[in-house]
Amino acid sequence: MQEDKLNNPETKTNNSADDEKSHIEAASKFIQETSIEKMHEIAEAARLKKLMEPPKWVYPIDD
């Protein structure tokens, strides 16, 4: 049932503005409440995690 909602173009257009607004509000709240040092720690942890991942190979699909 939830998947039908996500794949329905009418539902997407009606809720996309609300979804975008909620994301903007969440981002603004995060920026206001989080110190720059904490943001740096989060970014560094994400960078190190990315470096530790094995390479991802994408193979073309032969038609």
Side-chain angles (χ1 to χ4, degrees):
M1 194 69 138
Q2 184 72 7
E3 189 174 332
D4 292 339
K5 226 181 214 185
L6 294 174
N7 291 329
N8 185 348
E10 290 178 11
T11 306
K12 282 185 178 180
T13 56
N14 292 338
N15 292 331
S16 62
D18 293 336
D19 290 344
E20 184 175 344
K21 186 176 180 180
S22 67
H23 289 297
I24 292 170
E25 290 171 359
S28 296
K29 182 179 177 184
F30 175 80
I31 291 169
Q32 290 173 356
E33 295 177 355
T34 308
S35 70
I36 192 73
E37 291 82 12
K38 182 64 177 172
M39 289 184 202
H40 181 71
E41 289 174 18
I42 293 168
E44 183 65 14
R47 185 183 75 84
L48 291 174
K49 180 180 176 186
K50 184 72 175 172
L51 285 174
M52 300 303 286
E53 289 179 356
K56 295 178 183 173
W57 295 92
V58 178
Y59 296 103
I61 298 173
D62 293 329
D63 289 330

